[in-house]
Amino acid sequence: MKILITGGAGYIGSHTLIELYNSGYNFIVYDNLLNSSKEAIKRVEKIINKDIIFIEGDIRDTLKLKELFSKYSIDSVIHFAGLKSVAESVSNPLEYYDNNILGTLNLLKVMKEFNCKKIVFSSSATVYGDPATTPILENFPVGGTTNPYGTSKYMIERILEDLYISDNSFKIAILRYFNPVGAHESGALGEDPNGIPNNLMPFIAQTAVGKREYLSVFGSDYDTHDGTGVRDYIHVVDLAYGHVKAIDYLNNSNKIKPLIVNLGTGIGYSVLDVLKAFEKASGKRIPYKIVDRRVGDIAKCYADTSYAKEVLGWKAKKTLAQMCEDSWKWQSNNPDGYGI
Ligand code: NAD
Ligand code: UFG
């Protein structure tokens, strides 16, 4: 039996392949390479010393998905595939809804047709919108999203919950990631954003390596310990292992309600905390300028992680220093990413 990994060539997916392999799982990867490179798969193959079954395709391509499910015995899906840029989703909402919503609906229909009823879905802390308090618990209100990307994640969560109501033999895990950063400790695998990075850690890494002149710190008047935005940064390898625990959980449970769980560290670091930690890890000075707040940003976002510990037996282990060290190793070894 195999796990189908949609979006498995991407940043989080590629790291998850290694953790799944280390835990003895078999998988196949399906990705349209819209935001990734085949090179990531080659590097994973090198790390695990094994060939990977990779199929290039789109989750909106029903025929191709059906072919896949006919050819292989797939008993579960980890569904990473989708578009993820907040800013892009504001300027191109139709593409975001088409890819994320239609793509997921299509995948779920094919899964149902082939009686494949286990799915782990990549959701996001963005579904909480601007939380009234922190740390954020899973039962906090959701849906107050501020951009089409976040709304698409919220909608998919609802679709999955309705699917379960209609057919409670579906086993569903909705993982709400906080801020994934870092890279594989080998330095061979990491985040390779297209163009100018929107996210903090890749921007800092590119500044440290000399590709960007300085970091713009978006606002210094937030209600946080130093005035800059606070987030829950989680090492991508810890996050990847969370997927193994989610699959274990689905495999080891009988009929269960959809599991909804935060994957974060529970610790909030500010922009300046991250900058300083990265300077230390890289030995480079990272110039920065304080600029206006970015529209749509919130002051603080970090997880209450007790439910993940209780239900999955999972806890993030890696520190901010390790996140920065691994990110720096990846960036300095691969200044142009995978070179696509
Ligand atoms: P990524 O862009 O690196 O990976 C997504 C992968 O999906 C890419 O390889 C892309 O080529 C593929 N893809 C996109 N549309 C597809 C389609 N229609 N058919 C097949 N493949 C398609 O992103 P990531 O950071 O690895 O994120 C993985 C998932 O986690 C996404 O669903 C994302 O929304 C979610 N997530 C990411 C973050 C984050 O900060 N990275 C935070 C919360 C949630
Ligand atoms: N920031 C800067 N300068 C930059 C980039 C970011 O100061 O150049 C600040 C932001 O203002 C924020 C913090 O760094 O305070 C983190 O910003 P990111 O863009 O790295 O991350 P976000 O928390 O805004 O959003 C990320 C993903 C979303 C996801 C969310 C929650 O981009 O897709 O985490 O999981 F929904």
Side-chain angles (χ1 to χ4, degrees):
M1 282 297 196
K2 292 190 182 339
I3 309 172
L4 173 66
I5 317 288
T6 74
Y11 172 48
I12 304 168
S14 57
H15 288 82
T16 302
L17 302 181
I18 298 173
E19 299 309 309
L20 287 168
Y21 174 78
N22 289 341
S23 299
Y25 282 109
N26 286 314
F27 51 79
I28 56 177
V29 177
Y30 188 75
D31 196 305
N32 65 1
L33 300 179
L34 197 65
N35 195 36
S36 53
S37 158
K38 188 81 199 297
E39 178 62 22
I41 297 293
K42 288 193 188 138
R43 298 211 183 169
V44 173
E45 288 179 328
K46 211 164 165 193
I47 291 167
I48 66 176
N49 196 22
K50 191 177 183 290
D51 288 344
I52 289 173
I53 304 173
F54 173 80
I55 292 109
E56 187 172 339
D58 196 297
I59 47 169
R60 290 163 294 184
D61 186 339
T62 313
L63 277 181
K64 204 156 192 173
L65 273 185
K66 284 187 180 178
E67 264 172 42
L68 199 72
F69 275 85
S70 309
K71 185 164 175 192
Y72 301 99
S73 294
I74 299 169
D75 77 331
S76 46
V77 175
I78 303 182
H79 178 33
F80 293 106
L83 298 176
K84 65 163 180 177
S85 158
V86 169
E88 238 175 49
S89 79
V90 173
S91 51
N92 203 349
L94 298 183
E95 189 51 39
Y96 269 66
Y97 288 125
D98 188 74
N99 197 333
N100 294 4
I101 306 282
L102 271 188
T104 303
L105 283 176
N106 197 47
L107 172 70
L108 292 171
K109 283 190 205 161
V110 176
M111 285 176 65
K112 194 170 161 77
E113 186 179 328
F114 284 82
N115 205 30
C116 170
K117 294 192 171 177
K118 279 183 274 185
I119 182 165
V120 176
F121 172 63
S122 300
S123 190
S124 165
T126 194
V127 298
Y128 295 114
D130 192 356
T133 57
T134 43
I136 300 172
L137 281 154
E138 285 83 352
N139 63 7
F140 276 24
V142 290
T145 48
T146 53
N147 56 77
Y149 164 71
T151 308
S152 76
K153 291 290 175 193
Y154 169 66
M155 285 175 169
I156 296 168
E157 289 199 3
R158 289 296 305 268
I159 290 167
L160 289 168
E161 288 172 81
D162 287 340
L163 177 63
Y164 171 78
I165 291 169
S166 75
D167 177 352
N168 61 22
S169 62
F170 263 95
K171 295 187 192 177
I172 296 166
I174 293 169
L175 307 181
R176 292 180 179 155
Y177 311 156
F178 281 67
N179 288 54
V181 296
H184 190 255
E185 60 180 9
S186 62
L189 213 59
E191 186 171 13
D192 184 16
N194 281 327
I196 302 171
N198 290 310
N199 296 116
L200 180 66
M201 188 69 99
F203 201 102
I204 288 184
Q206 291 195 5
T207 310
V209 87
K211 285 183 81 174
R212 312 274 159 214
E213 209 183 324
Y214 62 88
L215 171 75
S216 296
V217 176
F218 298 142
S220 60
D221 57 352
Y222 284 108
D223 181 17
T224 62
H225 61 271
D226 63 14
T228 65
V230 163
R231 296 290 182 275
D232 186 336
Y233 298 95
I234 172 168
H235 196 295
V236 66
V237 172
D238 277 335
L239 183 69
Y241 189 59
H243 294 76
V244 174
K245 300 301 273 182
I247 282 283
D248 287 347
Y249 173 85
L250 297 187
N251 285 340
N252 295 330
S253 328
N254 287 321
K255 288 192 175 167
I256 43 152
K257 282 206 282 198
L259 171 75
I260 300 181
V261 67
N262 287 339
L263 295 185
T265 62
I267 305 168
Y269 287 110
S270 72
V271 175
L272 294 180
D273 291 335
V274 177
L275 184 110
K276 281 178 214 143
F278 207 99
E279 285 190 327
K280 199 164 173 204
S282 63
K284 303 276 178 191
R285 200 182 65 82
I286 299 165
Y288 71 92
K289 287 185 190 169
I290 307 277
V291 301
D292 286 348
R293 291 181 177 195
R294 183 171 63 180
V295 177
D297 273 357
I298 59 177
K300 281 187 244 176
C301 176
Y302 57 94
D304 185 306
T305 58
S306 36
Y307 190 53
K309 175 112 180 34
E310 177 194 323
V311 76
L312 297 180
W314 172 93
K315 197 175 181 333
K317 292 186 184 133
K318 292 182 186 271
T319 61
L320 179 62
Q322 286 169 299
M323 299 177 210
C324 294
E325 280 156 20
D326 291 337
S327 187
W328 175 240
K329 205 186 283 178
W330 155 252
Q331 184 68 57
S332 48
N333 285 351
N334 309 269
D336 297 317
Y338 295 115
I340 47 163

